[in-house]
Amino acid sequence: MTETTDMPAPEREGAPLKIGDVAKLAGTTPRTIRYYEEIGLLPASGGREPGAHRTYSQADVDRLIEVMRLRTLLGVSLDGLKELVEAEDNREALRREWHEGVPDPVRRREILESLDEHAERQLKMVRARRDEIAVLETELLERRARIGRRLRELEDEPATA
Amino acid sequence: MTETTDMPAPEREGAPLKIGDVAKLAGTTPRTIRYYEEIGLLPASGGREPGAHRTYSQADVDRLIEVMRLRTLLGVSLDGLKELVEAEDNREALRREWHEGVPDPVRRREILESLDEHAERQLKMVRARRDEIAVLETELLERRARIGRRLRELEDEPATA
DNA sequence: TTGCTCCTCACGTCACGTGAGGTGGC
DNA sequence: TTGCTCCTCACGTCACGTGAGGTGGC
C-alpha cells in the first residue's frame, strides 16, 4: 500500500510537465497558458516542433504562479504584467549570476543592490494595495461598531413604552 | 474673488448630475456607466424619454464609487458585483426604514441585525484579501532582509583579497 | 449661433472560453 | 487498441473603448 515509484511521471521530481499539469498546479487553464505564450508573456517552450506537446519545468510553474498572484492581488493589466515579468526575468538572471559565484566584490554589490531595488518596487505596490484594503476594513469595522452601539441601546430600552 | 453662486449647476448641492459629471466624480467613463445600466448593475434613471439625458444624484455617485471600489479591491466579476449591489440596495432600504423611525422594537432589532450581517460578510471578504496581501508583503520583506544581510557581509569582507 | 456634452447604434479590443477536427504518447 | 491529453484554427463572450452621425441644453 505504500506509494512506490510507479506514479505518473510529472509527480516525480524533475520530470517535464505538460500544459495540463502546469494549469492544474497554477490554478488556471491550458488555454490561458497558451494565450500568455502567444502574447509573449511566457516564453515559448524552446525548439518545439509544430504540433508537438509543450513541456515545462517546476520553475516555469513557480513563475506562472507568482505572476498570476501579482496580477490578481495588485490588479494590473497584462501590459503591466509584461513589465513585471521582465523584471522577474532580470531578477532570476541576477540570482543565477550570484549563485554561480561572482568574484568581483564591486559586481557582487551591484547585483545585491539591483535585487534590493526590485524588491522595494514590488513592496511599494503591495503596500499601496494594503493601505486601500485597510481603509475599507476600517470603514466596515466602524460601521459594525455603530450598529453594535444601537443594538445595546435597544437592550436598555424599556421592553414596551 | 470669493466664489459666488454662478458656478456650473452640478457643483452646487442637490442639483442633478449628468453622466459625464458622474463619470468624472467616480473616476470612470460614461460608456462604463451606460454599460452597467445596460446589464442591470445600475438602475436606469427612471422615466427617461428615449434619447433624453440621464440624470443622477450624489447618492448615485456614492453607490457607484463604492461598487467600483469593491470590484477592484476584492477582484470580483460583474456577476459577483450584481450580488454585492443587490446587497447594497437591501442595505440602503434597511437604513431608510431605520431613519424613518420604526416604533416596533422587534423590527428595530431585526434591521440592525441584518445590517450587521451585511457588514460582517463584506468584512470577511476584505480580510481574506488583506491576508493574501500580507503574505506577499512578508515575503518581500524577508527577501529584502536577506539581501540586506548579504550587503553587510560584503562590507565586512576585505576590500581586496 | 457656437461649443460642449449628450444620445444611440455598432464595430473593435482585450483576455480569455469553447467547441471542431485531428494527432500523439502512456 | 482504447482513453486521455495534447495540438491548431476559429468563433464566442465579457467588459468595456472608440468612432459615426445626430440631437439637445447653458
Side-chain angles (χ1 to χ4, degrees):
Chain A
M1 292 297 262
T2 60
E3 291 199 327
T4 53
T5 182
D6 60 339
M7 58 211 308
E11 312 300 325
R12 286 201 308 274
E13 215 38 60
L17 299 159
K18 284 184 294 180
I19 196 167
D21 307 317
V22 175
K24 204 160 287 183
L25 288 168
T28 180
T29 69
R31 167 75 236 231
T32 296
I33 297 175
R34 288 192 201 104
Y35 177 70
Y36 284 3
E37 176 186 318
E38 191 185 325
I39 62 171
L41 213 171
L42 297 181
S45 76
R48 200 169 117 262
E49 305 287 310
H53 290 191
R54 291 166 177 82
T55 58
Y56 302 89
S57 67
Q58 182 59 44
D60 292 328
V61 176
D62 294 341
R63 274 266 310 264
L64 181 58
I65 290 175
E66 187 61 23
V67 159
M68 290 180 59
R69 185 158 69 135
L70 289 172
R71 175 158 159 67
T72 61
L73 288 185
L74 299 182
V76 299
S77 72
L78 287 195
D79 263 15
L81 258 201
K82 272 192 198 175
E83 291 173 39
L84 283 176
V85 166
E86 278 173 36
E88 284 289 312
D89 285 345
N90 189 28
R91 185 167 99 84
E92 278 184 36
L94 290 171
R95 283 166 58 85
R96 218 174 302 122
E97 187 182 350
W98 174 270
H99 284 111
E100 279 164 3
V102 182
D104 179 13
V106 174
R107 179 62 188 154
R108 286 173 72 79
R109 162 169 287 278
E110 272 177 21
I111 291 173
L112 288 176
E113 281 171 352
S114 289
L115 288 173
D116 194 46
E117 280 165 26
H118 177 267
E120 198 183 354
R121 270 196 301 278
Q122 291 212 350
L123 201 51
K124 265 188 190 167
M125 293 190 291
V126 169
R127 283 184 165 147
R129 266 282 152 139
R130 183 200 61 182
D131 292 344
E132 287 179 293
I133 294 267
V135 168
L136 185 51
E137 189 187 357
T138 301
E139 286 178 18
L140 286 169
L141 284 172
E142 284 172 0
R143 195 183 288 173
R144 289 201 77 192
R146 271 196 303 277
I147 293 168
R149 279 196 295 276
R150 294 258 161 79
L151 274 170
R152 260 170 276 118
E153 284 169 21
L154 264 186
E155 302 288 339
D156 300 344
E157 271 179 25
T160 21
Chain B
M1 291 296 264
T2 60
E3 293 198 325
T4 52
T5 182
D6 58 342
M7 56 208 313
E11 312 299 328
R12 286 200 308 272
E13 215 39 59
L17 299 159
K18 284 183 294 180
I19 197 168
D21 307 318
V22 175
K24 202 159 286 180
L25 288 168
T28 181
T29 69
R31 169 74 236 232
T32 295
I33 297 175
R34 287 193 202 102
Y35 177 68
Y36 284 3
E37 177 186 318
E38 190 184 326
I39 62 172
L41 214 170
L42 297 182
S45 76
R48 203 171 115 260
E49 305 288 309
H53 290 190
R54 290 167 178 81
T55 57
Y56 302 89
S57 68
Q58 182 59 42
D60 293 328
V61 177
D62 295 342
R63 276 266 310 264
L64 180 58
I65 290 176
E66 188 61 22
V67 160
M68 291 181 60
R69 185 158 71 135
L70 290 172
R71 174 159 161 68
T72 62
L73 288 185
L74 300 182
V76 298
S77 71
L78 287 196
D79 262 15
L81 258 201
K82 271 190 198 177
E83 292 173 39
L84 282 175
V85 166
E86 278 172 36
E88 283 290 312
D89 284 346
N90 189 28
R91 185 168 98 85
E92 276 183 38
L94 289 171
R95 283 166 56 85
R96 217 172 304 123
E97 186 182 351
W98 174 270
H99 284 111
E100 278 163 4
V102 182
D104 178 14
V106 174
R107 179 62 190 155
R108 286 172 73 80
R109 163 170 286 278
E110 272 176 21
I111 292 172
L112 288 176
E113 282 170 352
S114 291
L115 288 173
D116 195 46
E117 281 164 27
H118 177 267
E120 198 184 355
R121 271 195 301 278
Q122 291 213 349
L123 201 52
K124 268 188 185 164
M125 295 190 291
V126 169
R127 283 182 166 149
R129 266 281 151 137
R130 181 199 62 183
D131 291 345
E132 288 179 292
I133 294 268
V135 169
L136 185 52
E137 189 187 358
T138 301
E139 286 179 18
L140 286 169
L141 284 172
E142 284 171 359
R143 193 184 287 173
R144 289 201 75 191
R146 273 197 303 278
I147 294 168
R149 281 197 295 277
R150 294 255 161 81
L151 274 170
R152 260 171 275 118
E153 285 168 22
L154 264 186
E155 301 287 340
D156 299 345
E157 273 178 26
T160 19

